[in-house]
Amino acid sequence: MLARLLPLALLAAGSALPAAPADSYKSEIVPLLETYCFSCHGEGVAKGKFSMDEFKDLSTHLSDREHWMHIWRNVRSQVMPPFDEDQPTPDERRKLMTWIEKEVFKLDAANPDPGRVTIRRLNRTEYQNAVFDLLGVEYDTKEVFPADDTGYGFDNIGDVLSISPLLMEKYITAAEEVVALALPKGAAAQVPRIDIEGKDFTAPGDPKTTGRWLPFAKGGKLSVSRDIAWDGDYQVQVEYAIKGATEATVHEAVMTVKAGGAEVGEVSLGWDQRRVIELTGKVPLKKGKQAFEISLAPARQPADGEEELNLVVHRVILQGPLDGSQREYSKGYRMILVDGPAPEEEGARDRYARKIMRSFVSRAFRKPLDDSTIDRLVDIVKEVDKQPGKEFEDGIKQAIATCLASPRFLFRVEIQPEPNNPGKIVPLDDYSIASRLSFFLWGSVPDDELLSLAFNNKLRPNLREQIDRMLADPRSSRLVENFIGQWLQARDVESVPVSAKDILGLGSNRDAARAFDVRLRADMRRETELLFDFILRKNRPAEELISARYSFLNERLAKFYGIAGVTGEEFQPVDLTEHPERGGLLTQGSVLMVTSNPTRTSPVKRGLFVLDNLLGTPAPPAPPDVPPLEEAAAAGGPPPTMRQMMEIHRKNPDCRGCHQRMDPIGPGLENFNALGQFRTNEHGKKIDTGGQLLTGEKFSNVAELKEVLATKRREDFYRCLSEKLLTYAIGRGVEYYDATTIDQLVERLEKNDGKLRELIYGIAESAPFQKRRGDD
């Protein structure tokens, strides 16, 4: 008993506390801990090096948030007490959690703490999206800016988005490059342009062979026709890449490009890691339908053991006639100079400059501009316009470049009356809500409709309607790509190192590359994105991310999975009722690959993935110098199965604690190899996929594991998904004081049949999204 363990003087010291916490702790909480916890974590026992009754001062003990956080999380997820021990009733569990939240965390359900978000710069994805939405410029930030740091699994976290002097220099240079692309010299008189996508180029009689993928070894001719409006000379620019071999190879081919029967250019192709390569030439074209051809002739073959190369055509850009007889405004010109060329009269030019800058900068800065800022920008336009050899457009370019290098564009700033007062909680203004919403759903700046509602203080009353509008916009695909790409690590599948040769048991890297090429990696990522996209747009239950009996496949990926009846390059919904081993995130190649080792599966990584990303109950960090599983096979004899190696590994006392959480889950996915293909045997032995979660639920295969996660552990999944999406939405990690908000989001999902869009609504309406407080 606690009273027997603690000196009387120590209990007396508790009387200095406010009566309610100390008294309720001794009268209500200690009996619960004695009944369900102290046999392992009290009265001299400290399993997992965690004791609940070893403290010197009761006041300090009841304010030790980290200590009580462990208890709160384990009780909430039902990880503790272990399932084979006496369990508290639902009322007792709720009583303990409520006491911790009220007396230790000091949470107020009626007035949740919104937390604070560090002022942060745009990450490189947000910057790229913003300049495209503002200026129509396709600017590849991956080639210009370093990779952003991540925090809590995401790269839009304010605390890690710092800026260095070198990076600031890059932003200044980038601003100049962006405006040069938006308003090139003579932008008001650009020659007409036609873009032809690489997928539109097809082989005669073989529509499956397109510009997306043409093997060097196969070669061939691809063509497409387009209508030419005028006779004249045209510039043809081919943007392409070389894919396939992960290491240098001597494989070569010769590419020849023709337009209207005339040769644009010819180039020898070899191993090249550039993301985009260009071939440019000029040809005369006649009015009418003209053919554009890309031919590939095999040349030098790869050496023994080397992988093969493939040509990927991104697009062909056609511009002309080049004699200036036909003109059109560039996309950037149309977006910036909305009323066309500048008027001649000086006063009218000033008014036009003011209109342009007010329209552009209010979106770029996400707030209405004060007159003094507008005046300074207009002065820049006027000063440049007066310089010899310069014109109005040059002044606009300089003013816009100044804006793009400004902290008011580069940083997401939210004004607060008392920024250093942690007790001061204030609602965000409508402009800040508009910015948060646009970066959440579009990864970019607000559009005119959002800013107009903010200007009239009508955004909050129309929040749900705006969310629906924004999700219907193609820009919402960025939410899917960026959130899924980081939460589920789907964007890592295209770069994660794997040895298909070892995994598939093939004789050479060349055979392995033919069986598993980079297109399959991209297909796997797309499958995962499409599942989330479908559930979000159709407002389906969120647990279908785990339990769905359907997926989205194309012919190549379906064939790799061993699913018949799917034809064509395009992705399509596929009923997986006859394939119970498939369906849901856990059985998709993207998840299975990023949770594997280069040459084999990793039940540990897969178990950790489920704990971290689906259940929100991560295992403790591994101790240093943990021996690899392969050491279990070093004793000789026949190769052990993965389950046998894990059983040997668990005999190490330093490893046993963590593996109790992870191991039951990982083997449940062992029917899938490290590339996501289904199998039933390993080293000639049938794979045993049965297990039991730490919370007691049993399963015998992956279908039953998915059922457990989507039903009996559904609340854990709702909670984890809510925490992940809230983190992404507000740009900071979830803290203990967010428990009330997360509970509200989970309750909202439960009341609305788990519909995923309800979670989006709930986050946008939550205190952390709508309010902020000062820093400590």
Side-chain angles (χ1 to χ4, degrees):
M1 298 290 289
L2 183 65
R4 293 197 301 268
L5 291 170
L6 296 177
L8 292 176
L10 186 56
L11 283 177
S15 61
L17 287 168
D23 292 346
S24 61
Y25 171 71
K26 287 180 279 189
S27 63
E28 300 177 23
I29 303 306
V30 170
L32 290 177
L33 301 182
E34 289 178 336
T35 302
Y36 300 109
C37 306
F38 277 12
S39 61
C40 295
H41 304 288
E43 300 178 343
V45 181
K47 286 190 177 181
K49 300 179 181 179
F50 186 79
S51 172
M52 295 185 180
D53 63 356
E54 291 183 2
F55 54 88
K56 296 180 179 180
D57 176 75
L58 186 56
S59 175
T60 303
H61 181 59
L62 296 186
S63 61
D64 186 352
R65 290 195 188 116
E66 184 176 353
H67 173 88
W68 289 100
M69 180 70 73
H70 289 295
I71 300 172
W72 177 71
R73 284 176 173 166
N74 284 321
V75 171
R76 184 187 64 184
S77 62
Q78 300 177 28
V79 170
M80 292 291 170
F83 71 90
D84 53 357
E85 300 283 347
D86 291 339
Q87 294 293 310
T89 66
D91 286 342
E92 289 174 326
R93 194 180 296 272
R94 193 177 305 111
K95 179 180 181 180
L96 177 56
M97 291 172 56
T98 301
W99 182 87
I100 295 173
E101 292 170 5
K102 180 181 178 181
E103 304 296 351
V104 180
F105 296 166
K106 307 297 183 184
L107 303 184
D108 180 0
N111 187 30
D113 183 347
R116 60 94 188 157
V117 180
T118 302
I119 293 175
R120 63 194 186 276
R121 62 171 172 82
L122 306 187
N123 66 26
R124 63 182 185 180
T125 299
E126 292 167 340
Y127 184 99
Q128 180 171 310
N129 293 338
V131 297
F132 179 80
D133 292 345
L134 290 167
L135 301 168
V137 171
E138 297 176 358
Y139 189 71
D140 190 353
T141 55
K142 291 184 177 64
E143 297 289 344
V144 179
F145 303 139
D148 297 301
D149 291 330
T150 61
Y152 305 96
F154 297 99
D155 61 8
N156 65 343
I157 303 300
D159 287 337
V160 301
L161 287 173
S162 58
I163 189 168
S164 65
L166 179 59
L167 183 55
M168 190 65 234
E169 290 181 13
K170 289 182 178 292
Y171 278 126
I172 295 172
T173 302
E176 296 171 349
E177 294 173 348
V178 166
V179 295
L181 292 170
L183 293 173
K185 194 68 178 176
Q190 291 290 292
V191 297
R193 166 175 167 163
I194 298 175
D195 285 16
I196 309 173
E197 297 297 318
K199 63 182 177 60
D200 295 337
F201 285 85
T202 59
D206 181 15
K208 291 184 179 180
T209 301
T210 73
R212 285 177 168 175
W213 193 263
L214 190 59
F216 279 23
K218 179 180 179 181
K221 180 188 295 184
L222 307 174
S223 64
V224 67
S225 295
R226 288 291 185 270
D227 286 322
I228 302 301
W230 307 280
D231 292 346
D233 290 335
Y234 286 75
Q235 176 179 285
V236 180
Q237 179 177 306
V238 184
E239 295 181 350
Y240 64 96
I242 307 300
K243 301 289 186 180
T246 56
E247 297 180 353
T249 170
V250 298
H251 202 188
E252 292 181 351
V254 176
M255 179 177 71
T256 304
V257 180
K258 293 183 178 180
E263 183 174 304
V264 175
E266 182 177 284
V267 62
S268 178
L269 307 179
W271 191 73
D272 196 317
Q273 293 293 84
R274 284 178 289 176
R275 297 175 65 234
V276 179
I277 313 170
E278 296 178 357
L279 170 65
T280 303
K282 295 180 181 179
V283 293
L285 294 176
K286 294 291 186 180
K287 178 180 179 180
K289 190 175 289 296
Q290 297 292 339
F292 296 83
E293 298 177 354
I294 298 176
S295 300
L296 192 66
R300 188 176 183 183
Q301 294 302 303
D304 291 342
E306 291 183 339
E307 296 173 307
E308 296 175 324
L309 296 175
N310 306 272
L311 169 66
V312 175
V313 180
H314 295 310
R315 64 180 175 179
V316 172
I317 302 171
L318 177 68
Q319 288 184 289
L322 300 177
D323 61 3
S325 59
Q326 303 296 328
R327 299 289 184 179
E328 68 179 13
Y329 293 146
S330 68
K331 183 178 180 180
Y333 188 97
R334 295 193 303 271
M335 294 180 70
I336 300 169
L337 288 92
V338 292
D339 294 337
E344 293 296 328
E345 194 268 319
E346 183 176 352
R349 290 169 79 87
D350 290 351
R351 288 191 294 274
Y352 191 26
R354 186 173 298 275
K355 176 181 179 180
I356 291 170
M357 298 316 301
R358 188 175 294 278
S359 173
F360 170 80
V361 183
S362 63
R363 287 189 62 199
F365 288 1
R366 287 85 75 182
K367 288 182 182 293
L369 285 191
D370 54 277
D371 289 337
S372 61
T373 300
I374 293 293
D375 291 342
R376 289 195 296 272
L377 292 170
V378 172
D379 287 343
I380 292 175
V381 178
K382 292 165 63 176
E383 289 175 10
V384 174
D385 190 14
K386 293 176 181 177
Q387 294 176 9
K390 299 292 185 179
E391 53 190 17
F392 183 81
E393 286 81 2
D394 294 310
I396 294 293
K397 287 168 62 175
Q398 184 61 56
I400 290 178
T402 301
C403 294
L404 294 181
S406 166
R408 297 171 74 178
F409 171 71
L410 295 175
F411 287 85
R412 294 174 57 184
V413 179
E414 296 165 346
I415 304 302
Q416 183 172 344
E418 298 182 37
N420 297 320
N421 180 2
K424 183 69 173 180
I425 296 176
V426 296
L428 293 170
D429 63 75
D430 273 25
Y431 288 105
S432 296
I433 295 294
S435 182
R436 283 194 173 194
L437 199 60
S438 65
F439 279 102
F440 175 26
L441 301 182
W442 288 347
S444 183
V445 295
D447 64 358
D448 290 334
E449 184 166 342
L450 284 172
L451 292 175
S452 176
L453 287 168
F455 176 78
N456 293 293
N457 293 316
K458 292 183 178 180
L459 180 55
R460 278 185 169 89
N462 292 280
L463 198 59
R464 181 180 287 245
E465 291 80 2
Q466 285 302 303
I467 291 173
D468 289 339
R469 177 184 73 86
M470 295 174 73
L471 289 177
D473 190 287
R475 283 172 285 188
S476 64
S477 64
R478 299 166 183 168
L479 165 66
V480 177
E481 294 171 6
N482 292 327
F483 177 65
I484 289 297
Q486 297 180 83
W487 170 41
L488 301 175
Q489 304 168 35
R491 67 184 184 186
D492 296 341
V493 72
E494 296 185 57
S495 59
V496 63
V498 294
S499 173
K501 174 177 173 289
D502 293 322
I503 296 167
L504 300 176
L506 298 175
S508 69
N509 288 329
R510 188 178 305 176
D511 292 337
R514 289 174 177 172
F516 183 78
D517 59 43
V518 294
R519 292 179 298 172
L520 276 168
R521 290 175 178 257
D523 291 343
M524 289 174 176
R525 174 177 179 173
R526 189 66 182 142
E527 177 192 16
T528 302
E529 292 172 347
L530 286 172
L531 177 63
F532 185 88
D533 184 85
F534 175 80
I535 292 174
L536 175 61
R537 298 193 190 286
K538 298 298 183 181
N539 207 13
R540 307 267 318 161
E543 59 265 28
E544 284 189 15
L545 289 167
I546 297 174
S547 63
R549 297 184 180 180
Y550 58 88
S551 192
F552 297 85
L553 307 171
N554 61 6
E555 180 177 355
R556 180 171 48 249
L557 185 56
K559 183 179 179 180
F560 186 76
Y561 284 168
I563 298 173
V566 181
T567 59
E569 180 74 18
E570 300 302 319
F571 278 79
Q572 54 202 270
V574 177
D575 185 351
L576 297 175
T577 304
E578 297 182 2
H579 296 273
E581 74 280 3
R582 292 287 178 184
L585 299 170
L586 287 178
T587 66
Q588 292 184 343
S590 63
V591 170
L592 294 164
M593 273 188 64
V594 300
T595 56
S596 292
N597 287 336
T599 60
R600 63 162 176 83
T601 61
S602 174
V604 172
K605 289 182 180 179
R606 290 177 175 179
L608 278 173
F609 180 90
V610 173
L611 292 176
D612 286 346
N613 297 302
L614 300 183
L615 297 178
T617 55
D625 302 322
V626 175
L629 285 178
E630 282 79 3
E631 286 191 5
T641 64
M642 183 59 67
R643 182 179 287 272
Q644 290 170 334
M645 285 195 291
M646 293 180 69
E647 289 172 353
I648 297 172
H649 186 77
R650 270 199 306 272
K651 292 180 180 179
N652 185 336
D654 292 334
C655 304
R656 188 179 304 118
C658 296
H659 283 271
Q660 285 179 335
R661 289 181 181 235
M662 301 177 292
D663 286 3
I665 300 173
L669 300 171
E670 271 299 289
N671 275 142
F672 298 93
N673 68 15
L675 297 179
Q677 289 182 314
F678 190 76
R679 60 184 183 170
T680 57
N681 294 281
E682 181 186 14
H683 302 311
K685 301 175 184 177
K686 185 177 180 180
I687 297 174
D688 179 5
T689 57
Q692 185 175 23
L693 299 186
L694 198 59
T695 46
E697 297 86 356
K698 294 182 179 181
F699 58 89
S700 60
N701 53 45
V702 67
E704 293 181 6
L705 172 60
K706 291 189 296 180
E707 180 71 12
V708 168
L709 296 178
T711 56
K712 295 180 180 179
R713 309 314 307 173
R714 182 179 62 201
E715 183 177 330
D716 291 336
F717 173 63
Y718 283 171
R719 188 174 302 278
C720 183
L721 177 59
S722 298
E723 290 180 352
K724 297 293 184 181
L725 198 55
L726 181 65
T727 297
Y728 178 82
I730 63 178
R732 67 164 174 82
V734 171
E735 302 291 347
Y736 73 91
Y737 48 75
D738 293 307
T740 299
T741 296
I742 298 299
D743 286 343
Q744 292 170 348
L745 294 174
V746 171
E747 183 180 1
R748 186 171 188 143
L749 285 169
E750 292 285 5
K751 288 183 177 180
N752 291 278
D753 299 321
K755 292 179 178 179
L756 187 54
R757 189 168 294 205
E758 284 294 331
L759 181 56
I760 303 288
Y761 297 148
I763 288 173
E765 295 168 2
S766 70
F769 197 89
Q770 294 263 336
K771 302 175 181 179
R772 65 171 297 145
R773 64 164 166 80
D775 285 328
D776 292 327

